[in-house]
Amino acid sequence: MADSRAPDPTRRSERSRRAIYAAALALVTEVGYARTTVEAIAARAGVGKQTIYRWWPSKGAVLLEAFLDLADQAARAADGGAGLHGIPDTGDLAADLRLVLRATVDEMNDPAFDLPSRALAAEGIVDAELGAEFARKLLEPQLQLYVKRLRAGQEAGDVRRDIDVRVALELLVGPLAHRWLMRTLPLTHAYADAVADLALYGLAPRP
Amino acid sequence: MADSRAPDPTRRSERSRRAIYAAALALVTEVGYARTTVEAIAARAGVGKQTIYRWWPSKGAVLLEAFLDLADQAARAADGGAGLHGIPDTGDLAADLRLVLRATVDEMNDPAFDLPSRALAAEGIVDAELGAEFARKLLEPQLQLYVKRLRAGQEAGDVRRDIDVRVALELLVGPLAHRWLMRTLPLTHAYADAVADLALYGLAPRP
């Protein structure tokens, strides 16, 4: 049956945008960052090259947005819809950190997130300029969510006031990233819980 | 002046072995793991391909040994000669951890370690089999040094007895690896000290 509505250019654009993101992520997974081209993204997405250049100045810009969208989708899938809008503040810091670290583990175990993210990480590790750009634009905004939650924790008396929370958050995200990228041991919810517990309460006995 | 000693095949072999390691690390830095070949290593080291195959069964085996040697050299340079023979146990756990994390920071900031190690990490991140093999053979033995030191800490009463030290050590090495590979912020001795302090005493206030 024909749709009675007139063709909607916004919906068509949205469809093209999503096809371009999907093509970009598929290509970076299959051939790596360096060999992904705007031409190949356009061909795979079924759009003209000029459509991509109308919206984005470069391959790097398309991929940055595709990864921002991927991270947001993955976070929505993992936490039941909240997306990258923040870390919950239920007043129970340990529970909130366990929740977000479990969601991160779920992302890392999801091939739709894992494979393109590995391709991007691998390129950023050997290409200093690209790595720094993606750290600044893609990673740092996510890390700032931890800064915000840990600062609220300092105000509530749940986090030491004498620590730099921008450094402290790396004790939460660093171990998960290490296990993910270095492939040492499985990424499980029990591991996420252990990291949250150890980061909060430390390795040394409490007096 | 001529050396009065007779030619020494052991010394000649040692010279060839070092030239092969250096060639393998230089190539992996310049062209990446995938495009490094036994032929190119042999040509660059000035030895015959058959010399390499007499000592190692494959490219991966040469590179594994070259990286083991690199890690040992880097550790010796960073800690004044001790090499990868352990983490000191002076009885002051905080000081011992600061020392080893500062040495790790120095390694990560040394181009001779940094560049080939990045090339290897990048390949392991996208190649699951290679990544797992290098984690098992190259990384895990280094992590076991932390296991040993933290177990001694448990016996001395400096580490909680209710924690899994194999997980706990990741709060020490994970943050440094994250900053190194993700290029977020500078790797400094002050950062190493902060990570050691936070890992030991935690983010939550002590009662």
Side-chain angles (χ1 to χ4, degrees), chain A residues 118-119 121-122 125 181-183, chain B residues 120-128 131 181:
Chain A
R118 284 183 179 280
I125 283 166
L181 293 175
M182 297 302 191
R183 306 179 189 273
Chain B
L120 180 69
E123 189 69 17
I125 284 166
V126 292
D127 179 334
L181 293 176

Side-chain angles (χ1 to χ4, degrees), chain A residues 117-177:
Chain A
S117 299
R118 284 183 179 280
L120 180 67
E123 188 69 17
I125 283 166
V126 292
D127 179 333
E129 200 178 329
L130 181 85
E133 186 188 354
F134 275 75
R136 196 171 61 246
K137 294 182 179 169
L138 184 61
L139 186 56
E140 194 61 34
Q142 296 176 43
L143 299 183
Q144 287 300 318
L145 303 177
Y146 287 87
V147 168
K148 193 177 162 199
R149 183 65 188 86
L150 293 177
R151 286 222 176 103
Q154 283 181 316
E155 280 162 31
D158 298 326
V159 175
R160 283 159 60 184
R161 288 184 179 271
D162 63 330
I163 64 173
D164 179 341
V165 293
R166 176 59 189 76
V167 172
L169 70 88
E170 296 179 50
L171 271 79
L172 297 160
V173 301
L176 272 65

Side-chain angles (χ1 to χ4, degrees), chain A residues 97 117-119 121-129 131-132 135 139-140 143 150 157-160 163-164 166-175 177-185 191 194-195 197-207, chain B residues 97 117-119 121-129 131-132 135 139-140 143 150 157-160 163-164 166-175 177-185 191 194-195 197-207:
Chain A
L97 292 178
S117 299
R118 284 183 179 280
E123 188 69 17
I125 283 166
V126 292
D127 179 333
E129 200 178 329
L139 186 56
E140 194 61 34
L143 299 183
L150 293 177
D158 298 326
V159 175
R160 283 159 60 184
I163 64 173
D164 179 341
R166 176 59 189 76
V167 172
L169 70 88
E170 296 179 50
L171 271 79
L172 297 160
V173 301
H178 187 262
R179 206 171 262 219
W180 178 51
L181 293 175
M182 297 302 191
R183 306 179 189 273
T184 49
L185 292 169
Y191 177 67
V195 168
D197 171 73
L198 287 168
L200 270 179
Y201 303 111
L203 279 56
R206 305 224 131 201
Chain B
L97 293 178
S117 299
R118 285 184 177 280
E123 189 69 17
I125 284 166
V126 292
D127 179 334
E129 199 179 329
L139 187 55
E140 194 61 34
L143 299 183
L150 293 176
D158 298 326
V159 175
R160 286 161 56 186
I163 63 173
D164 179 342
R166 178 58 189 77
V167 172
L169 71 87
E170 297 180 50
L171 271 79
L172 296 161
V173 302
H178 187 263
R179 205 170 263 219
W180 178 51
L181 293 176
M182 297 302 193
R183 305 179 189 274
T184 50
L185 291 170
Y191 177 67
V195 169
D197 172 74
L198 287 167
L200 270 179
Y201 303 111
L203 279 56
R206 305 225 132 200

Side-chain angles (χ1 to χ4, degrees), chain A residues 20-101:
Chain A
I20 290 164
Y21 288 167
L25 295 176
L27 279 166
V28 89
T29 301
E30 290 167 19
V31 303
Y33 186 95
R35 284 189 287 160
T36 295
T37 62
V38 167
E39 287 77 2
I41 295 170
R44 187 153 183 154
V47 303
K49 212 171 95 171
Q50 72 285 3
T51 301
I52 293 184
Y53 281 122
R54 198 184 315 135
W55 291 337
W56 297 279
S58 65
K59 163 181 113 175
V62 184
L63 278 160
L64 174 65
E65 278 201 19
F67 275 101
L68 284 168
D69 182 70
L70 175 69
D72 191 51
Q73 299 288 328
R76 278 173 204 278
D79 71 6
L84 285 176
H85 301 129
I87 296 171
D89 186 351
T90 64
D92 181 342
L93 179 62
D96 294 346
L97 292 178
R98 273 187 223 116
L99 188 80
V100 69
L101 294 187

